[in-house]
Amino acid sequence: MRIPPWLIAPIVSGLYRLWCSTLRIRETGREALEALDAAGKPAVYCLWHDELFALMHVRRNLRIVTIVSQSNDGEYLARLLQALGLKTARGSSSRGGLKALLHAARLMRQENYNGCITVDGPRGPRHKVKPGAIILAFRTPAHVIPVRLFPHRAKKFRSWDRFQLPLPFSKVDIVFGAPYLLSADELTAGELERERLELERRLQALRPPADSGFISPPEGEE
């Protein structure tokens, strides 16, 4: 018997907050996104699926809408995110994706939300940007902010994304890249591909500060 999502979400959200409260989180580059938010300018935060765990914990006063799959498992995640104060738009690349993007774009334009998308989710390929975040940023329009999270000690799962669960009391570096606007005036197939590759390049280029003590994993294991 499966526990209903509405019942499990408050329990899991409490455990999540407790877990994250043990983490030693250092943020780099947050000032730029706070300045955008204070000016009422929307942004789309873009990150890899395997690195998302601690990001919700540092949301603070930011109003966030995120895309969540319409699957049964997605219902559990949606309820959890809502319990943590986020707004959700339901859809994925395989079902309801465009409808979810339009819903998120409407919230960003009319209610001052920021978007947040795991750009290689929900099923991969791992660390390959899909076009959803670009479409959302174009339709709003909004600044794009690449985000990387680097847990210094983590449990890595054998899932498609090699999901990383930061271990309690470990250090996590969160690095916000420089916000930028899409350069395309019209989102043709060619421009979409160019913007997709640019976001992928920016994500791959983000690294923790030199004094963080973070040790990069061996080639091919990142």
Side-chain angles (χ1 to χ4, degrees):
M1 176 181 173
R2 301 187 73 180
I3 303 175
W6 61 266
L7 181 60
I8 199 171
I11 299 171
V12 176
S13 64
L15 291 173
Y16 172 81
R17 290 188 175 98
L18 179 61
W19 191 293
C20 287
S21 70
T22 73
L23 301 176
R24 294 178 291 129
I25 296 175
R26 181 170 72 164
E27 298 175 76
T28 302
R30 186 171 182 124
E31 300 82 6
L33 66 92
E34 291 287 1
L36 281 176
D37 191 65
K41 297 179 179 179
V44 179
Y45 307 113
C46 303
L47 67 156
W48 301 132
H49 196 276
D50 63 302
E51 297 177 353
L52 66 87
F53 182 83
L55 187 63
M56 296 174 286
H57 184 64
V58 299
R59 177 182 67 88
R60 296 198 280 280
N61 62 328
L62 294 173
R63 291 162 61 84
I64 303 291
V65 58
T66 188
I67 309 296
V68 178
S69 169
Q70 288 183 318
S71 66
N72 290 334
D73 288 342
E75 180 64 21
Y76 284 89
L77 178 58
R79 293 279 186 161
L80 170 61
L81 294 174
Q82 290 161 15
L84 293 171
L86 282 74
K87 198 83 143 178
T88 59
R90 303 298 302 277
S92 65
S93 56
S94 59
R95 184 159 58 112
L98 181 57
K99 180 180 178 181
L101 286 172
L102 293 175
H103 180 201
R106 185 167 61 252
L107 288 170
M108 291 174 66
R109 289 193 304 266
Q110 298 177 2
E111 301 185 32
N112 299 319
Y113 276 86
N114 297 288
C116 184
I117 295 185
T118 52
V119 291
D120 56 346
R123 298 178 182 174
R126 181 178 184 267
H127 290 192
K128 294 295 180 183
V129 171
K130 292 182 178 179
I134 305 301
I135 295 170
L136 182 60
F138 183 81
R139 292 192 67 90
T140 358
H143 284 77
V144 178
I145 303 181
V147 186
R148 292 291 306 271
L149 291 89
F150 300 95
H152 289 231
R153 293 189 300 119
K155 163 66 177 177
K156 293 186 179 181
F157 292 86
R158 294 182 178 179
S159 53
W160 69 264
D161 61 346
R162 302 176 206 160
F163 188 84
Q164 301 181 71
L165 177 64
L167 299 181
F169 307 102
S170 62
K171 184 177 179 180
V172 179
D173 275 292
I174 302 180
V175 181
F176 297 95
Y180 71 99
L181 290 168
L182 302 179
S183 60
D185 295 322
E186 183 179 355
L187 209 56
T188 63
E191 288 293 338
L192 179 61
E193 177 64 8
R194 188 183 64 78
E195 295 285 3
R196 188 192 70 78
L197 290 174
E198 174 63 14
L199 174 56
E200 198 168 281
R201 182 192 69 78
R202 288 179 181 245
L203 276 165
Q204 291 169 346
L206 287 181
R207 304 304 301 167
D211 64 349
S212 71
F214 179 80
I215 300 175
S216 297
E219 186 73 23
E221 294 184 14
E222 187 174 354

